[in-house]
């Protein structure tokens, strides 16, 4: 909290006291954090309990995991937006000096006018210290949960793969360190085309290009709910006119990325103070809708493409099932991006609403299932564990999203696991039906 003497000095410098407000973000112990793909991992409801997971009479023998990279800095375009804010700072200060009403508590206003960007374009996309922690602590949990997999196993029995981006490669290394206690030696991980195959898939690239020009995501920001949100934020900061959408997006971008990268310290971004929950909900819907059409149910192609990683999963588990004789535990770990994970979520028919997210359905979709924060925050992950059992069915499979057991009974499985027959009845078809070339190039 800011010293009272500093508050008095600030009030004197800005010309008047802040308008009375019932809310002070800097004192909020639980600020809004549902920022979709920019959300901290913990906000998703991820299971952080490291207690061992066991199926009676069974032992885990193989792990398959698809993970998203940890918390990163924004894109170059995000950082450009953030660098619009010093000009806005001066305008907010000018509003106070001119005697206009700024509806922020004194501490929030102080934090905004004393803020500095703290990022430049050289940091674009880079994994943050928080992102390193995301993956290392996750690896530590996995080791504690599955001691039979990792305690007496050689790291060489586990394959770590990723795309060409440094943030995915770094995430893989920190996850490896969490499991095995050290960074991988040179050559222990490898680039794999599966991790970003969609970037070379015309069937994926064409529709999303159109969406960003004429789609619902673009139309929503021109509608009444979005305009009302811009008006509220503008008025709260002492403006007599509506700010540009880019200015509001810049404040939201700084708010979301700064909160995520400082999550473990409990330090929120000063720019989060300019919004209230009703504003955040509009922006959350806007960004949820973006992902809905860019990676989810908005286009059939996404749930179709989701079969490609699932096919890799089935092949990986099948290979282990077909192994004759006792062998050491094994694993296959990928680190990729929200796009691939969201496509798998769609293929698995998770978080699907009966109605589409459209430009005019904000009010009716307040209770929607498709909230990206729930399944695709930073460091999100889907993993499957193959178990060998002493009695009954020889092999059983469990699947988890963000370390929570998926509703396997909905797939015709038992509540706690799928027998191998049940698993193959649900997913075995991908081995013959999922053709990447046909899906992407229609050949």
């Amino acid at each position: 909290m800011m010293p009272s003497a500093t508050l008095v000095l600030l009030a004197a410098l800005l010309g008047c006291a802040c308008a009375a407000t019932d809310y002070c973000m800097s004192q909020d112990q639980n600020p809004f954090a549902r920022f979709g793909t920019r959300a901290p991992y913990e906000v998703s409801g991820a299971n952080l309990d490291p207690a061992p997971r066991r199926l009676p009479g069974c032992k885990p023998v193989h792990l398959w995991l698809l993970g998203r990279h940890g918390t990163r800095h924004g894109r170059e375009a995000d950082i450009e937006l953030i660098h619009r804010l010093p000009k806005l700072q001066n305008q907010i200060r000018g509003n106070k000096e001119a005697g206009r009403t700024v509806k922020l508590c004194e501490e929030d206003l102080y934090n905004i006018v004393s803020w500095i960007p703290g990022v430049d374009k050289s940091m674009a996309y880079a994994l943050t210290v928080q992102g390193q922690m995301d993956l290392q602590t996750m690896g530590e949990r996995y080791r504690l949960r599955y001691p039979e997999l990792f305690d007496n196993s050689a790291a060489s029995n586990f394959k770590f793969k990723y795309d060409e981006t440094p943030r995915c490669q770094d995430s893989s290394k920190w996850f490896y360190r969490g499991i095995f206690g050290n960074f991988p030696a040179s050559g222990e991980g490898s680039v794999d085309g599966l991790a970003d195959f969609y970037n070379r898939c015309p069937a994926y690239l064409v529709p999303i290009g159109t969406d960003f020009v004429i789609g619902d995501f673009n139309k929503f920001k021109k509608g009444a709910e979005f305009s009302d949100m811009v008006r509220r934020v503008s008025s709260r900061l002492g403006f007599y006119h509506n700010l540009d959408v880019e200015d509001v997006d810049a404040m939201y971008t700084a708010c979301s990325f700064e909160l995520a990268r400082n999550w473990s310290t409990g330090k929120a971004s000063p720019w989060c103070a300019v919004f209230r929950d009703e504003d955040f909900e509009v922006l959350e819907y806007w960004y949820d809708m973006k992902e809905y059409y860019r990676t989810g149910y908005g286009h059939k192609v996404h749930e179709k493409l989701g079969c490609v990683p699932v096919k890799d999963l089935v092949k990986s588990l099948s290979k282990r099932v077909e192994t004759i004789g006792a062998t050491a535990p094994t694993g296959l770990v990928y680190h990729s991006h929200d796009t691939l994970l969201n496509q798998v979520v769609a293929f698995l028919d998770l978080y699907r609403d009966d109605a589409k997210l459209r430009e005019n359905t904000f009010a009716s979709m307040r209770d929607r299932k498709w909230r990206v924060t729930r399944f695709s925050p930073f460091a999100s992950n889907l993993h499957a564990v193959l178990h060998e059992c002493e009695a009954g069915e020889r092999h059983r499979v469990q699947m988890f999203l963000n370390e929570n057991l998926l509703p396997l009974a909905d797939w015709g499985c038992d509540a706690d696991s799928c027998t191998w027959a049940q698993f193959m009845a649900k997913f075995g078809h991908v081995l013959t039906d999922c053709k990447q070339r046909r899906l992407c190039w229609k050949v």
Side-chain angles (χ1 to χ4, degrees):
M1 184 177 295
M2 188 169 48
S4 58
T6 307
L7 289 171
V8 173
L9 176 59
L10 173 66
L13 288 173
L14 295 181
C16 63
C18 295
T21 177
D22 295 330
Y23 178 72
C24 196
M25 191 277 299
S26 53
Q27 298 181 22
D28 190 342
Q29 299 300 307
N30 188 30
F32 188 97
R34 295 198 311 265
F35 296 128
T37 59
R38 302 173 184 173
Y41 182 61
E42 292 80 359
V43 178
S44 70
N47 181 4
L48 306 180
D49 182 1
R53 286 178 174 155
R54 292 187 171 90
L55 282 175
C58 304
K59 64 177 181 180
V61 295
H62 186 76
L63 169 74
W64 184 95
L65 182 144
L66 173 63
R68 186 188 174 205
H69 57 76
T71 305
R72 62 164 174 82
H73 290 294
R75 306 165 300 155
E76 288 188 1
D78 297 320
I79 293 171
E80 284 181 5
L81 273 177
I82 290 170
H83 279 267
R84 293 173 64 105
L85 294 177
K87 179 180 178 181
L88 198 58
Q89 274 182 309
N90 290 333
Q91 292 173 336
I92 295 168
R93 183 183 292 108
N95 290 346
K96 287 299 298 180
E97 292 171 346
R100 297 183 182 183
T101 300
V102 176
K103 301 171 187 174
L104 298 174
C105 73
E106 291 179 342
E107 190 168 350
D108 286 347
L109 179 58
Y110 174 85
N111 290 337
I112 286 174
V113 299
S114 59
W115 170 90
I116 58 174
V119 291
D120 59 52
K121 288 186 179 180
S122 69
M123 303 161 72
Y125 292 108
L127 199 69
T128 65
V129 172
Q130 177 66 49
Q132 297 169 359
M133 292 174 57
D134 293 340
L135 273 299
Q136 179 169 333
T137 56
M138 185 183 297
E140 292 167 353
R141 287 195 301 275
Y142 271 71
R143 183 181 183 91
L144 291 171
R145 280 207 197 101
Y146 302 114
E148 298 92 340
L149 277 178
F150 300 115
D151 278 359
N152 298 307
S153 299
S156 59
N157 292 333
F158 295 82
K159 306 303 179 185
F160 290 80
K161 301 186 177 186
Y162 34 73
D163 77 351
E164 296 179 343
T165 61
R167 62 189 180 278
C168 288
Q169 297 182 26
D170 290 344
S171 293
S172 179
K173 293 173 184 176
W174 284 94
F175 184 64
Y176 182 109
R177 184 182 188 184
I179 294 174
F180 297 111
N182 54 273
F183 288 118
S186 177
E188 284 198 66
S190 60
V191 173
D192 192 284
L194 174 67
D196 66 345
F197 82 92
Y198 51 86
N199 277 332
R200 299 175 295 280
C201 180
Y204 163 74
L205 296 171
V206 172
I208 63 168
T210 303
D211 280 340
F212 283 108
V213 178
I214 61 173
D216 283 70
F217 167 76
N218 193 51
K219 293 175 182 176
F220 179 68
K221 70 180 181 181
K222 301 174 183 177
E225 291 97 348
F226 202 94
S227 296
D228 287 346
M229 179 273 297
V230 171
R231 176 186 51 75
R232 289 192 298 267
V233 172
S234 303
S235 174
R236 190 171 298 127
L237 297 177
F239 291 97
Y240 293 162
H241 63 278
N242 281 353
L243 291 166
D244 292 339
V245 170
E246 288 76 13
D247 286 328
V248 175
D249 197 15
M251 292 186 285
Y252 183 71
T253 297
C255 164
S256 55
F257 277 110
E258 290 178 2
L259 182 141
R261 75 171 186 249
N262 294 317
W263 182 252
S264 63
T265 69
K267 181 181 178 183
S269 167
W271 292 105
C272 296
V274 310
F275 303 102
R276 299 294 178 264
D277 281 0
E278 62 178 335
D279 308 317
F280 278 129
E281 287 170 5
V282 172
L283 289 159
E284 180 189 18
Y285 183 76
W286 188 37
Y287 275 91
D288 280 353
M289 186 159 46
K290 172 185 175 182
E291 293 305 314
Y292 185 80
Y293 288 98
R294 191 182 73 87
T295 64
Y297 295 113
H299 292 292
K300 282 288 184 182
V301 67
H302 300 311
E303 47 192 297
K304 291 179 180 179
L305 292 177
C307 77
V308 175
V310 174
K311 183 176 182 178
D312 187 88
L313 159 64
V314 175
K315 289 171 67 176
S316 179
L317 269 58
S318 295
K319 182 179 179 181
R320 176 69 198 215
V321 167
E322 294 163 4
T323 300
I324 298 174
T327 60
T330 51
L332 180 55
V333 176
Y334 291 94
H335 278 96
S336 180
H337 305 272
D338 55 5
T339 300
L340 194 59
L341 192 70
N342 292 358
Q343 289 173 340
V344 174
V345 164
F347 177 80
L348 297 178
D349 201 33
L350 303 172
Y351 302 100
R352 185 195 293 269
D353 294 284
D354 294 333
K356 274 195 167 189
L357 275 67
R358 305 301 299 264
E359 60 171 305
N360 57 356
T361 57
F362 168 72
S364 63
M365 298 295 281
R366 286 184 180 275
D367 296 325
R368 64 189 178 278
K369 298 174 184 176
W370 182 268
R371 287 187 186 270
V372 178
T373 297
R374 292 174 177 169
F375 54 86
S376 194
F378 287 125
S380 48
N381 58 100
L382 175 88
H383 79 273
V385 178
L386 178 70
H387 299 258
E388 285 184 357
C389 304
E390 297 173 351
E393 292 282 349
R394 172 104 174 119
H395 293 97
R396 284 185 171 269
V397 180
Q398 292 182 306
M399 289 182 67
F400 301 82
L401 180 61
N402 295 334
E403 305 173 71
N404 289 300
L405 185 67
L406 285 171
L408 306 179
D410 293 348
W411 298 347
C413 299
D414 300 335
D416 63 349
S417 61
C418 297
T419 66
W420 183 246
Q422 291 169 336
F423 179 80
M424 290 302 288
K426 175 66 176 177
F427 297 113
H429 68 92
V430 299
L431 295 174
T432 54
D433 296 347
C434 183
K435 307 290 186 182
Q436 184 177 333
R437 287 181 58 82
R438 183 185 304 162
L439 289 170
C440 288
W441 292 279
K442 303 187 185 301
V443 295

